[in-house]
Amino acid sequence: PNRYLIDRYIVATRNLPATPLLVLNKIDLDAADTHTLIDELHTIYDALDMQVIETSATHGDGIDSLRDHLDGHTSILVGLSGVGKSSLVNCIIPDVEAKVGAVSSASLEGTHTTTVSTLYAIPSGGRLIDSPGVRDFTPVIRDRHEVRRGFIELSRHLGECRFNDCAHESEPGCAIRKAIEDGEIDSIRLQSYQHMLAELHNCM
Ligand code: GDP
Ligand code: ZN
């Protein structure tokens, strides 16, 4: 999973009238570290006041739970090509037969097969938008306030550092590094946060 992309999507949804739901798909993969990784992501994102579910589009695990979460809402599925979005659409709306692209082993990216935008009515309730444009959606982030909305655990501690201009690297009295040591903040989340702020400056 691309952690930075996950964190960008969270920032985007926190600045929209929308609610993020993190779907960890392909839990059936039996690579040695799959379950450790899934458990770790589940724990980190669960603590951020958001819903996390685990699915296998291939074996059907978690699909009922995904349907329950989509019920009563209009949703979009976003994520890198090849993560299983079409396969999940096929599970949720069995008659739809969204084209599933085989992941090419050369690039490890699924081939692009969806070419139209469609609003599907989910038989059990809710609606699902599926479109290539939406899938490639790169959220525009305008300022640091928008970034902070996606990092509630960091926002809680910003302003507690000894120095106003603390870069949370090796400064004494850094509340963010202390929270990382205490296991309250995940260090990769801090990396995402700093990377996003840096991107913001590069654009201005
Ligand atoms: P999309 O590009 O995000 O729409 O991804 P696709 O639905 O086209 O899936 C890409 C590849 O991953 C296909 O070969 C799928 O069969 C496979 N795939 C999708 N979901 C799962 C899953 O839960 N488990 C496994 N093992 N493979 C999956
Ligand atoms: Zn600091």
Side-chain angles (χ1 to χ4, degrees):
N2 181 324
R3 290 286 305 271
Y4 186 61
L5 197 62
I6 294 175
D7 293 333
R8 275 203 72 145
Y9 285 140
I10 294 173
V11 169
T13 48
R14 293 298 189 200
N15 286 286
L16 287 169
T19 310
L21 166 68
L22 179 62
V23 181
L24 302 168
N25 188 41
K26 306 199 186 183
I27 58 163
D28 57 285
L29 289 181
D30 54 9
D33 56 350
T34 304
H35 289 279
T36 319
L37 182 63
I38 288 172
D39 289 348
E40 191 182 279
L41 291 178
H42 206 132
T43 307
I44 292 167
Y45 289 98
D46 225 22
L48 301 182
D49 201 16
M50 62 183 285
Q51 305 280 347
V52 183
I53 58 170
E54 298 176 14
T55 61
S56 165
T58 315
H59 295 261
D61 310 50
I63 301 300
D64 287 341
S65 170
L66 178 57
R67 272 201 208 95
D68 288 347
H69 279 94
L70 302 181
D71 189 6
H73 303 280
T74 299
S75 309
I76 60 175
L77 275 176
V78 292
L80 285 178
S81 182
V83 296
K85 298 179 298 296
S86 298
S87 306
L88 288 169
V89 171
N90 284 335
C91 290
I92 299 161
I93 310 160
D95 307 331
V96 65
E97 292 192 14
K99 285 189 195 142
V100 174
V103 175
S104 95
S105 51
S107 64
L108 284 178
E109 284 182 5
T111 49
H112 292 274
T113 44
T114 309
T115 49
V116 286
S117 300
T118 314
L119 178 66
Y120 297 111
I122 304 169
S124 57
R127 294 183 294 187
L128 190 62
I129 299 167
D130 192 33
S131 87
V134 160
R135 288 166 169 211
D136 297 341
F137 159 74
T138 334
V140 175
I141 299 168
R142 280 169 301 196
D143 57 44
R144 58 174 55 237
H145 304 291
E146 291 198 349
V147 175
R148 283 183 191 173
R149 271 186 213 118
F151 290 89
I152 51 167
E153 82 281 38
L154 279 155
S155 302
R156 250 176 239 141
H157 294 284
L158 292 169
E160 290 174 2
C161 299
R162 186 178 307 164
F163 301 109
N164 275 338
D165 60 349
C166 185
H168 322 303
E169 276 155 17
S170 52
E171 295 88 340
C174 174
I176 301 288
R177 295 231 71 97
K178 167 94 174 38
I180 290 176
E181 277 162 30
D182 294 347
E184 267 183 72
I185 294 177
D186 171 63
S187 61
I188 296 179
R189 289 273 297 163
L190 175 61
Q191 281 174 27
S192 289
Y193 174 76
Q194 293 187 311
H195 188 166
M196 240 172 275
L197 286 183
E199 280 200 328
L200 206 62
H201 293 305
N202 292 341
C203 299
M204 292 200 294

